[in-house]
């Protein structure tokens, strides 16, 4: 089983749509969770951290279910500029032993 | 805004040659990482580095790979004898401290082995 698993997509949605991405992770000892965004041939950039209580940043909402080892990202009112690959990232370990493990990414294209 | 810088942006090398990829992490960061991404594939962990030594390394990081922080600012990845399958984008990242804080990635070095 992959350590971090995501639906690869692609997701093609019209502007203004709501889109949801899901992610599962296999290591129950995982410490922390993130969504990163990666534009074509660019470096990953942090979109948001994911907390057990759920968290929201503008149009973006992230949720974590530790019992199910499941993470989600919801994008509301999608914009053309949201087109990118969204990476589910899990931190295994802590301190000097931390290791970010990436999912394969879900590709999103927002269409005009 | 402080950033992680990597040089060169693109390196072409012949199979069997040694390459050194350079990174300057954010100055007050303590934890450093190398990741690679083969074209069209996921970002893969190579190695983490803290307090001037390797903390963790993946199966990919075999004896052909080494890392160094020679002067307190640069953080280098050396591939001793490159293979065709080493062709990838190599990302350096740094994190400030032990808390679950953001990892900042450099813009990457695209390595092409011919």
């Amino acid at each position: 089983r992959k350590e971090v698993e995501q639906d690869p997509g692609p997701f093609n949605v019209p502007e203004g749509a709501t889109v949801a991405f899901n992610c599962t992770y296999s290591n129950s000892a995982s410490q922390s969770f993130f969504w990163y965004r990666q534009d074509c041939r660019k470096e990953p950039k942090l979109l948001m951290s994911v907390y057990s209580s759920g968290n929201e940043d503008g149009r973006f909402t992230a949720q974590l279910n530790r019992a199910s080892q499941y993470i989600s990202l919801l994008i509301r009112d999608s914009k053309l500029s949201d087109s990118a690959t969204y990476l589910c990232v899990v931190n295994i370990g802590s301190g000097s032993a931390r290791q970010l493990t990436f999912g394969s990414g879900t590709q999103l294209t927002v269409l005009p | 805004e402080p950033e992680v810088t990597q040089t060169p942006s693109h390196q072409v090398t012949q199979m069997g040659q040694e390459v050194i990829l350079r990174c300057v992490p954010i100055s007050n960061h303590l934890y450093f990482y190398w990741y690679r991404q083969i074209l069209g594939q996921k970002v893969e962990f190579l190695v983490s580095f803290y307090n001037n030594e390797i903390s963790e390394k993946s199966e990919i990081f075999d004896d052909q790979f080494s890392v160094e922080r020679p002067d307190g600012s640069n953080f280098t990845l050396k591939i001793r004898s490159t293979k065709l399958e080493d062709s990838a984008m190599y990302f350096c990242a740094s994190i400030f401290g032990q808390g679950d804080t953001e990892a900042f990635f450099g813009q990457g070095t695209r390595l092409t082995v011919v």
Side-chain angles (χ1 to χ4, degrees):
Chain A
R1 184 182 169 186
K2 291 180 186 174
E3 288 182 299
V4 180
E5 200 151 355
Q6 295 181 248
D7 181 344
F11 283 59
N12 298 317
V13 303
E15 260 187 298
T18 295
V19 60
F21 303 137
N22 302 318
C23 170
T24 56
Y25 60 94
S26 60
N27 189 332
S28 58
S30 299
Q31 301 281 329
S32 49
F33 312 89
F34 309 90
W35 284 100
Y36 275 71
R37 169 194 169 128
Q38 187 175 30
D39 294 292
C40 189
R41 295 179 179 259
K42 300 283 190 182
E43 75 275 23
K45 289 188 177 176
L46 180 69
L47 180 65
M48 58 198 304
S49 302
V50 188
Y51 303 114
S52 297
S53 53
N55 48 303
E56 190 173 307
D57 182 3
R59 299 181 291 109
F60 299 86
T61 301
Q63 300 248 316
L64 166 66
N65 184 323
R66 283 187 185 267
S68 303
Q69 295 180 202
Y70 170 89
I71 306 159
S72 66
L73 176 68
L74 184 77
I75 306 176
R76 290 182 299 279
D77 187 24
S78 51
K79 313 288 184 196
L80 296 177
S81 56
D82 293 334
S83 297
T85 297
Y86 290 82
L87 306 171
C88 177
V89 183
V90 173
N91 178 20
I92 299 167
S94 61
S96 62
R98 84 172 53 212
Q99 183 186 128
L100 295 179
T101 301
F102 286 75
S104 300
T106 300
Q107 189 180 335
L108 171 68
T109 302
V110 181
L111 304 168
Chain B
E1 184 180 320
E3 59 180 14
V4 176
T5 56
Q6 289 185 243
T7 54
S9 56
H10 191 188
Q11 171 101 40
V12 181
T13 189
Q14 287 199 322
M15 194 168 53
Q17 294 296 304
E18 174 183 286
V19 294
I20 297 176
L21 309 183
R22 301 180 194 281
C23 169
V24 180
I26 295 173
S27 62
N28 61 345
H29 284 195
L30 301 176
Y31 300 86
F32 314 112
Y33 304 84
W34 282 102
Y35 288 82
R36 80 170 186 191
Q37 187 173 31
I38 295 170
L39 187 63
Q41 298 187 25
K42 69 175 186 177
V43 177
E44 300 175 290
F45 170 76
L46 292 178
V47 66
S48 60
F49 193 86
Y50 169 73
N51 201 26
N52 284 321
E53 60 182 23
I54 290 174
S55 308
E56 296 283 333
K57 58 184 181 178
S58 70
E59 292 174 354
I60 303 167
F61 195 89
D62 62 21
D63 292 342
Q64 294 297 316
F65 291 87
S66 62
V67 289
E68 214 176 29
R69 194 144 192 260
D71 57 10
S73 61
N74 289 287
F75 178 50
T76 61
L77 174 69
K78 182 192 291 187
I79 308 175
R80 210 177 333 275
S81 176
T82 49
K83 304 187 281 288
L84 294 177
E85 54 265 37
D86 293 329
S87 294
M89 182 74 96
Y90 288 81
F91 293 110
C92 172
S94 68
I95 294 177
F96 170 63
Q98 289 195 11
D100 296 322
T101 55
E102 178 178 354
F104 290 81
F105 284 80
Q107 292 182 309
T109 293
R110 179 166 298 284
L111 176 65
T112 303
V113 183
V114 297

